[in-house]
Amino acid sequence: MIARFTVKGNLADPSSEKDLLHILQPFANHNGGEMAFGPDGFLYMGLGDGGSQGDPLGNGQNTNTRLGKILRIDVDHGDPYAIPANNPFVNGGGKAEIWEYGLRNPWRFSFDKGSSNLYIADVGQDTWEEVDVVPANAGGLNFGWNYYEGMHPYKGQPPAGLNFTLPVTAYSHAVGGCAIIGGYVYRGGMKEWQGIYFYGDECSGKIWGLIHTNNSWRSQLLFETGANITTFGQGPSGEIYFADRRGTIYRLSK
């Protein structure tokens, strides 16, 4: 459920609630993990494929459901919202709210304050965790789930002519943990970290840095925290934080 409230002072007014969107979940897991305004002022929402294992309902590739997608709506117009004119299915072929599809459970996405590129951390099934990068304003990309898990075939043979955007990096459970937690591109005070995307794993507590140099993506292990990482945050000055299951908040530093 997505709802809007009006703020009075530092408090949301409970009587001001306005329901925007309800999406039924067929299973108990994979409800998604992020909602954020993009540089374009539109609201983006990440939804999982509906749950269970292996996407049994085929929601990731079905553009007639909002599950397994990144959605994009205009909350400043319409009642309860409007559809941006350049959404890929605004004229048919799928749900008009869809911006990207073919995702399993995007557990945190973020926009780079420098490039406006969209970084999506998509939780894998049994073996692979992935990071997908969307160039600014590039809608309609298909990230492959459940035909692909990471860069590897997972289930079934995709139809001829179907185009996929494969992740820029992926790590296996054997070396990295069990569930990717998406972070942010660093835009803080340290020169040597500029442009590095930080992401971690819930089970291993590892944190990697991902950067694009010389027309290629490189990922490197930077921290072994031992924490059960659940989320990242970015402060107003561009510094990066993460939290663990125990309720502790940490700040990344050199």
Side-chain angles (χ1 to χ4, degrees):
M1 183 175 108
I2 308 297
R4 181 177 67 206
F5 290 82
T6 299
V7 173
K8 292 183 177 179
N10 292 322
L11 296 175
D13 177 7
S15 67
S16 70
E17 182 176 6
K18 172 77 171 179
D19 286 351
L20 300 184
L21 194 59
H22 284 76
I23 299 171
L24 296 177
Q25 297 281 346
F27 302 99
N29 55 343
H30 298 185
N31 297 331
E34 188 66 73
M35 183 168 60
F37 285 98
D40 51 17
F42 297 133
L43 181 63
Y44 291 73
M45 298 159 284
L47 273 76
D49 63 6
S52 190
Q53 293 185 337
D55 192 11
L57 302 180
N59 290 327
Q61 293 297 313
N62 182 2
T63 57
N64 289 309
T65 175
R66 301 178 184 93
L67 298 173
K69 315 293 190 295
I70 301 289
L71 307 181
R72 179 184 187 241
I73 62 175
D74 178 357
V75 298
D76 293 320
H77 301 92
D79 186 14
Y81 57 83
I83 302 297
N86 61 341
N87 272 17
F89 301 108
V90 69
N91 294 316
K95 294 290 185 183
E97 296 91 348
I98 294 173
W99 183 242
E100 317 289 5
Y101 65 110
L103 295 161
R104 182 174 179 269
N105 195 38
W107 189 256
R108 303 302 188 239
F109 64 79
S110 62
F111 292 92
D112 175 16
K113 292 180 178 179
S115 67
S116 296
N117 291 345
L118 172 60
Y119 286 71
I120 305 168
D122 195 24
V123 178
Q125 177 66 55
D126 300 315
T127 309
W128 296 96
E129 309 292 312
E130 70 182 62
V131 176
D132 303 301
V133 178
V134 180
N137 302 313
L141 302 184
N142 181 351
F143 294 108
W145 176 253
N146 64 356
Y147 289 122
Y148 285 88
E149 181 190 18
M151 303 174 190
H152 304 269
Y154 178 78
K155 186 178 182 180
Q157 182 67 31
L162 196 60
N163 294 319
F164 299 113
T165 299
L166 294 179
V168 299
T169 192
Y171 65 89
S172 73
H173 289 189
V175 301
C178 75
I180 192 169
I181 309 294
Y184 294 84
V185 175
Y186 184 82
R187 296 297 177 188
M190 282 183 283
K191 245 200 286 190
E192 55 268 59
W193 281 12
Q194 293 300 312
I196 296 176
Y197 173 72
F198 287 87
Y199 65 99
D201 186 273
E202 179 188 10
C203 299
S204 68
K206 293 179 177 180
I207 296 177
W208 293 265
L210 173 71
I211 193 165
H212 188 251
T213 57
N214 300 322
N215 296 316
S216 65
W217 292 92
R218 293 190 301 130
S219 185
Q220 181 176 318
L221 179 64
L222 297 180
F223 297 91
E224 297 202 54
T225 69
N228 293 120
I229 302 170
T230 55
T231 188
F232 283 83
Q234 187 176 43
S237 63
E239 300 302 324
I240 294 179
Y241 302 79
F242 72 91
D244 70 8
R245 256 193 238 150
R246 296 185 295 271
T248 307
I249 296 175
Y250 302 86
R251 187 183 71 177
L252 292 181
S253 62
K254 190 158 49 166

